mmCIF file of all heavy atoms in Angstrom:
data_model
loop_
_atom_site.group_PDB
_atom_site.id
_atom_site.type_symbol
_atom_site.label_atom_id
_atom_site.label_comp_id
_atom_site.label_asym_id
_atom_site.label_seq_id
_atom_site.Cartn_x
_atom_site.Cartn_y
_atom_site.Cartn_z
ATOM 1 N N ASN A 189 -3.654 27.401 -27.124
ATOM 2 C CA ASN A 189 -2.517 26.696 -26.480
ATOM 3 C C ASN A 189 -1.296 27.573 -26.670
ATOM 4 O O ASN A 189 -1.358 28.725 -27.224
ATOM 5 C CB ASN A 189 -2.267 25.309 -27.106
ATOM 6 C CG ASN A 189 -1.929 25.271 -28.530
ATOM 7 O OD1 ASN A 189 -2.056 26.327 -29.250
ATOM 8 N ND2 ASN A 189 -1.426 24.204 -29.016
ATOM 9 N N THR A 190 -0.160 27.166 -26.163
ATOM 10 C CA THR A 190 1.027 28.070 -26.053
ATOM 11 C C THR A 190 1.418 28.628 -27.417
ATOM 12 O O THR A 190 1.822 29.819 -27.507
ATOM 13 C CB THR A 190 2.257 27.352 -25.426
ATOM 14 O OG1 THR A 190 1.721 26.830 -24.092
ATOM 15 C CG2 THR A 190 3.435 28.275 -25.181
ATOM 16 N N ASP A 191 1.536 27.743 -28.458
ATOM 17 C CA ASP A 191 2.057 28.213 -29.740
ATOM 18 C C ASP A 191 0.933 28.701 -30.678
ATOM 19 O O ASP A 191 1.189 29.033 -31.801
ATOM 20 C CB ASP A 191 2.874 27.195 -30.417
ATOM 21 C CG ASP A 191 2.067 25.886 -30.731
ATOM 22 O OD1 ASP A 191 0.929 25.917 -30.527
ATOM 23 O OD2 ASP A 191 2.754 24.971 -31.179
ATOM 24 N N GLY A 192 -0.275 28.668 -30.157
ATOM 25 C CA GLY A 192 -1.427 29.163 -30.959
ATOM 26 C C GLY A 192 -1.820 28.236 -32.107
ATOM 27 O O GLY A 192 -2.525 28.728 -33.041
ATOM 28 N N SER A 193 -1.476 26.920 -32.116
ATOM 29 C CA SER A 193 -1.833 26.041 -33.174
ATOM 30 C C SER A 193 -3.234 25.416 -32.906
ATOM 31 O O SER A 193 -3.812 24.928 -33.827
ATOM 32 C CB SER A 193 -0.833 24.984 -33.293
ATOM 33 O OG SER A 193 -0.669 24.226 -32.121
ATOM 34 N N LEU A 194 -3.702 25.557 -31.732
ATOM 35 C CA LEU A 194 -5.020 24.981 -31.345
ATOM 36 C C LEU A 194 -5.877 26.063 -30.647
ATOM 37 O O LEU A 194 -5.367 26.893 -29.875
ATOM 38 C CB LEU A 194 -4.903 23.745 -30.478
ATOM 39 C CG LEU A 194 -4.203 22.563 -31.039
ATOM 40 C CD1 LEU A 194 -4.084 21.469 -30.035
ATOM 41 C CD2 LEU A 194 -4.946 21.991 -32.210
ATOM 42 N N LEU A 195 -7.154 25.998 -30.838
ATOM 43 C CA LEU A 195 -8.141 26.978 -30.254
ATOM 44 C C LEU A 195 -9.148 26.132 -29.543
ATOM 45 O O LEU A 195 -9.771 25.232 -30.096
ATOM 46 C CB LEU A 195 -8.758 27.795 -31.319
ATOM 47 C CG LEU A 195 -9.841 28.795 -30.816
ATOM 48 C CD1 LEU A 195 -9.267 29.868 -29.973
ATOM 49 C CD2 LEU A 195 -10.676 29.331 -32.001
ATOM 50 N N ALA A 196 -9.344 26.368 -28.226
ATOM 51 C CA ALA A 196 -10.410 25.704 -27.464
ATOM 52 C C ALA A 196 -11.600 26.730 -27.263
ATOM 53 O O ALA A 196 -11.352 27.918 -27.000
ATOM 54 C CB ALA A 196 -9.922 25.278 -26.079
ATOM 55 N N THR A 197 -12.821 26.257 -27.420
ATOM 56 C CA THR A 197 -13.947 27.103 -27.246
ATOM 57 C C THR A 197 -14.927 26.413 -26.354
ATOM 58 O O THR A 197 -15.122 25.213 -26.259
ATOM 59 C CB THR A 197 -14.676 27.430 -28.606
ATOM 60 O OG1 THR A 197 -15.162 26.177 -29.110
ATOM 61 C CG2 THR A 197 -13.735 28.081 -29.600
ATOM 62 N N ALA A 198 -15.672 27.278 -25.633
ATOM 63 C CA ALA A 198 -16.840 26.866 -24.865
ATOM 64 C C ALA A 198 -18.025 27.605 -25.433
ATOM 65 O O ALA A 198 -18.065 28.781 -25.729
ATOM 66 C CB ALA A 198 -16.725 27.283 -23.372
ATOM 67 N N CYS A 199 -19.106 26.784 -25.755
ATOM 68 C CA CYS A 199 -20.281 27.288 -26.470
ATOM 69 C C CYS A 199 -21.570 27.162 -25.557
ATOM 70 O O CYS A 199 -21.611 26.401 -24.604
ATOM 71 C CB CYS A 199 -20.467 26.505 -27.712
ATOM 72 S SG CYS A 199 -21.779 27.079 -28.741
ATOM 73 N N ARG A 200 -22.510 27.967 -25.862
ATOM 74 C CA ARG A 200 -23.740 27.966 -25.126
ATOM 75 C C ARG A 200 -24.476 26.637 -25.318
ATOM 76 O O ARG A 200 -25.447 26.290 -24.504
ATOM 77 C CB ARG A 200 -24.635 29.114 -25.483
ATOM 78 C CG ARG A 200 -25.801 29.357 -24.530
ATOM 79 C CD ARG A 200 -26.577 30.565 -24.910
ATOM 80 N NE ARG A 200 -25.882 31.818 -24.522
ATOM 81 C CZ ARG A 200 -26.304 33.083 -24.953
ATOM 82 N NH1 ARG A 200 -27.309 33.240 -25.700
ATOM 83 N NH2 ARG A 200 -25.577 34.099 -24.525
ATOM 84 N N ASP A 201 -24.176 25.877 -26.296
ATOM 85 C CA ASP A 201 -24.759 24.501 -26.480
ATOM 86 C C ASP A 201 -24.191 23.515 -25.563
ATOM 87 O O ASP A 201 -24.397 22.314 -25.687
ATOM 88 C CB ASP A 201 -24.658 24.035 -27.914
ATOM 89 C CG ASP A 201 -23.196 23.843 -28.323
ATOM 90 O OD1 ASP A 201 -22.295 23.986 -27.513
ATOM 91 O OD2 ASP A 201 -22.980 23.579 -29.647
ATOM 92 N N ARG A 202 -23.315 23.954 -24.591
ATOM 93 C CA ARG A 202 -22.751 23.135 -23.486
ATOM 94 C C ARG A 202 -21.552 22.305 -23.983
ATOM 95 O O ARG A 202 -21.179 21.367 -23.214
ATOM 96 C CB ARG A 202 -23.789 22.271 -22.753
ATOM 97 C CG ARG A 202 -24.933 23.106 -22.157
ATOM 98 C CD ARG A 202 -25.853 22.120 -21.416
ATOM 99 N NE ARG A 202 -27.000 22.876 -20.883
ATOM 100 C CZ ARG A 202 -27.949 22.333 -20.142
ATOM 101 N NH1 ARG A 202 -27.943 21.007 -19.911
ATOM 102 N NH2 ARG A 202 -28.987 23.122 -19.751
ATOM 103 N N LYS A 203 -21.056 22.511 -25.092
ATOM 104 C CA LYS A 203 -20.017 21.705 -25.677
ATOM 105 C C LYS A 203 -18.642 22.424 -25.603
ATOM 106 O O LYS A 203 -18.611 23.638 -25.849
ATOM 107 C CB LYS A 203 -20.283 21.313 -27.103
ATOM 108 C CG LYS A 203 -21.508 20.325 -27.225
ATOM 109 C CD LYS A 203 -21.660 19.861 -28.642
ATOM 110 C CE LYS A 203 -22.779 18.804 -28.760
ATOM 111 N NZ LYS A 203 -22.933 18.349 -30.189
ATOM 112 N N ILE A 204 -17.627 21.681 -25.360
ATOM 113 C CA ILE A 204 -16.258 22.159 -25.477
ATOM 114 C C ILE A 204 -15.679 21.614 -26.769
ATOM 115 O O ILE A 204 -15.792 20.428 -27.110
ATOM 116 C CB ILE A 204 -15.379 21.678 -24.277
ATOM 117 C CG1 ILE A 204 -15.952 22.208 -22.978
ATOM 118 C CG2 ILE A 204 -13.888 22.109 -24.500
ATOM 119 C CD1 ILE A 204 -15.167 21.709 -21.726
ATOM 120 N N ARG A 205 -15.040 22.473 -27.583
ATOM 121 C CA ARG A 205 -14.417 22.029 -28.815
ATOM 122 C C ARG A 205 -12.955 22.466 -28.851
ATOM 123 O O ARG A 205 -12.610 23.548 -28.400
ATOM 124 C CB ARG A 205 -15.170 22.701 -29.979
ATOM 125 C CG ARG A 205 -16.575 22.197 -30.166
ATOM 126 C CD ARG A 205 -17.298 23.057 -31.265
ATOM 127 N NE ARG A 205 -18.648 22.538 -31.547
ATOM 128 C CZ ARG A 205 -19.767 22.908 -30.832
ATOM 129 N NH1 ARG A 205 -19.616 23.807 -29.905
ATOM 130 N NH2 ARG A 205 -20.900 22.429 -31.200
ATOM 131 N N VAL A 206 -12.143 21.553 -29.483
ATOM 132 C CA VAL A 206 -10.752 21.853 -29.733
ATOM 133 C C VAL A 206 -10.631 21.950 -31.297
ATOM 134 O O VAL A 206 -10.965 20.970 -31.978
ATOM 135 C CB VAL A 206 -9.777 20.828 -29.193
ATOM 136 C CG1 VAL A 206 -8.331 21.107 -29.599
ATOM 137 C CG2 VAL A 206 -9.881 20.730 -27.670
ATOM 138 N N ILE A 207 -10.231 23.107 -31.798
ATOM 139 C CA ILE A 207 -10.290 23.364 -33.203
ATOM 140 C C ILE A 207 -8.854 23.721 -33.750
ATOM 141 O O ILE A 207 -8.122 24.354 -33.047
ATOM 142 C CB ILE A 207 -11.220 24.546 -33.488
ATOM 143 C CG1 ILE A 207 -12.605 24.349 -32.844
ATOM 144 C CG2 ILE A 207 -11.322 24.934 -34.960
ATOM 145 C CD1 ILE A 207 -13.497 25.508 -32.955
ATOM 146 N N ASP A 208 -8.566 23.205 -34.992
ATOM 147 C CA ASP A 208 -7.482 23.628 -35.763
ATOM 148 C C ASP A 208 -7.868 24.909 -36.456
ATOM 149 O O ASP A 208 -8.625 24.838 -37.402
ATOM 150 C CB ASP A 208 -7.028 22.569 -36.708
ATOM 151 C CG ASP A 208 -5.810 22.963 -37.535
ATOM 152 O OD1 ASP A 208 -5.474 24.153 -37.506
ATOM 153 O OD2 ASP A 208 -5.278 22.068 -38.152
ATOM 154 N N PRO A 209 -7.449 26.094 -35.986
ATOM 155 C CA PRO A 209 -8.067 27.260 -36.584
ATOM 156 C C PRO A 209 -7.724 27.514 -38.097
ATOM 157 O O PRO A 209 -8.546 28.137 -38.786
ATOM 158 C CB PRO A 209 -7.473 28.463 -35.689
ATOM 159 C CG PRO A 209 -6.217 27.811 -35.158
ATOM 160 C CD PRO A 209 -6.481 26.366 -34.967
ATOM 161 N N ARG A 210 -6.605 27.085 -38.553
ATOM 162 C CA ARG A 210 -6.241 27.383 -39.972
ATOM 163 C C ARG A 210 -7.027 26.450 -40.889
ATOM 164 O O ARG A 210 -7.391 26.849 -42.028
ATOM 165 C CB ARG A 210 -4.739 27.180 -40.184
ATOM 166 C CG ARG A 210 -3.936 28.394 -39.676
ATOM 167 C CD ARG A 210 -2.519 28.096 -39.593
ATOM 168 N NE ARG A 210 -2.168 27.056 -38.629
ATOM 169 C CZ ARG A 210 -0.979 26.850 -38.064
ATOM 170 N NH1 ARG A 210 -0.034 27.653 -38.355
ATOM 171 N NH2 ARG A 210 -0.781 25.877 -37.200
ATOM 172 N N ALA A 211 -7.150 25.176 -40.455
ATOM 173 C CA ALA A 211 -7.963 24.212 -41.292
ATOM 174 C C ALA A 211 -9.446 24.421 -41.065
ATOM 175 O O ALA A 211 -10.263 23.931 -41.907
ATOM 176 C CB ALA A 211 -7.490 22.777 -40.999
ATOM 177 N N GLY A 212 -9.823 24.980 -39.920
ATOM 178 C CA GLY A 212 -11.300 25.126 -39.604
ATOM 179 C C GLY A 212 -11.902 23.779 -39.270
ATOM 180 O O GLY A 212 -13.148 23.601 -39.241
#
Side-chain angles (χ1 to χ4, degrees):
N189 64 344
T190 303
D191 62 5
S193 60
L194 296 176
L195 175 72
T197 63
C199 184
R200 194 176 283 171
D201 63 8
R202 302 183 183 181
K203 290 184 179 180
I204 298 175
R205 293 173 175 87
V206 176
I207 303 171
D208 180 346
R210 284 167 297 203

